[in-house]
Amino acid sequence: MSDITSLLPCPQPVRFLDPDGSTTEHDPGTAATLEARGYSIPAEEDLLAVWRGMVIGRRFDTQATALTKQGRLAVYPSSRGQDACQVAPVLALGEQDWLFPTYRDSMALVTRGIDPVEALTLLRGDWHCGYDPVATRTAPQCTPLSTQIVHAAGAADGMRRRGTGGVALGFIGDGATSEGDFHEGLNFAAVFDAPLVVLVQNNKYAISVPLAKQSKAPALAYKGVGYGVRSEQVDGNDPAAMLSVMRSAYAHARAGHGPVLVEAHTYRMEAHTNADDATRYRTSEEVDDWTGQDPVVRLQAYLVARGALDEARIEEVREQAEAFAADVRTRMHAEPKVDPMALFEHVYAEPTPQLREQAEMVRAEIAGSAHAAHPVPETEEATR
C-alpha cells in the first residue's frame, strides 16, 4: 500500500512564474516546497519552444474562432487562456506516447504536429476524425465527457504489457471529473499500474455550471488519492510549472509507478463555444482578473527579462503565426470534396441487408441526379 503522503498534491498549485513574469524564488518557502517535490524551472531553450508553440497556437485558435463566424466551421470550442495547458504537456510527450484529447484541444493537436485542416475536420462536420490516429498516436477528439479516459487507461495498460515504455495522456475538463468514466479509468489504471497521466484543465466552468456547484472537493487533484493515484495541482497559466509538473508525471508513469492525476488551474477566456453567451454566467471583473494572468504574456516577460528573447525574435515568430493562420484560412475556404456513399462506411464490418438496400437507393438517386444535370443527347442515346 502506498504512503498516502506521497500521493497528496501540493497544498497550493505549483508555480514558478508570477503573473508579471517574475519568479517565485523570492519566497523561500515556495522554493523549498518545489525542490522537495522534485520540480525545477525548465531550461530557457525548452521554455522558448513552449512560448513559440503558444504564440502559434493562439493565432490558430483565433483563426478557427473566426471561421465559425464565416460558416466554415459548425462549432469551435476555443482554448484561448488555456494555452499553457495545451502546449507544454504535448511538447513533453515522446514519439512513443499517446494523446487522448477532448473537443476543446485543437491547439494541442496542432502542437502535436497534426495538419490544422485535418484537426478541424470533425468541427467542420466533414468526417469523424480528419487525421490518422495510429500514425499520429493521437485518438480522435472526444465530445462525450471523460469517455476517452477509459480508452486511455486501456491503451496505457497495453503499452505496459508490451513493454514499449510509452505513456498515455488524457485531457479532461473539471466537469468530466464528475462522470463515471473518470472513476473507472483511474481505478483500472491504478490497479494495473498503467502508465496513464490524466490532466484536468480546471477552467472553473462545466459549460455554464461553476465548479462550486458540481464538486465539494478542496481541489480536484485530491480525487486521485482515493484511487491510490499520485496527484498534483499546478498553476495552469504558468507555462514553466506546467512543463515541469508534466515531465515529472510522465517520468513517474513511465518508470512503472502507476498513473498520475494532475489538476491545472486555468481559465477559458472565450465562451464555451460560438453557440454560448458567457456574459450570462460570469462577470467582467472575473474575466479581467484572469486576463492579467495570461500565460503567453507571463512567459514572454520572463524570457525577455532573462535576455533570452528580444523584439526581433518576437516579431519573427509573430510572422510565422500569421503565415500559419493564413494557410489555415485559405485551405478552409476551399470547398471540401464529399462522397455521399461514405455515409454507409464504417457502420458495420458486414453491412446489414437493410443498409445495403439503403446504399443502393442513394447510389441510384445520385446517378439519376447526374443524368438529369447532364442528359445524354437523343442522337447519342439512339446509337447505344
Side-chain angles (χ1 to χ4, degrees), residues 46-59:
D46 296 334
L47 292 178
L48 281 167
V50 174
W51 168 77
R52 180 180 181 276
M54 291 194 300
V55 171
I56 292 176
R58 177 167 293 188
R59 184 63 188 87

Side-chain angles (χ1 to χ4, degrees), residues 308-345:
L309 193 60
D310 57 24
E311 278 302 321
R313 178 59 177 159
I314 293 172
E315 185 57 31
E316 179 184 357
V317 173
R318 282 178 181 161
E319 291 177 358
Q320 291 173 3
E322 285 302 323
F324 189 88
D327 176 64
V328 172
R329 186 166 59 246
T330 299
R331 294 165 62 202
M332 288 296 293
H333 278 301
E335 292 296 336
K337 295 180 181 179
V338 295
D339 178 8
M341 297 307 300
L343 284 169
F344 302 97
E345 298 176 357

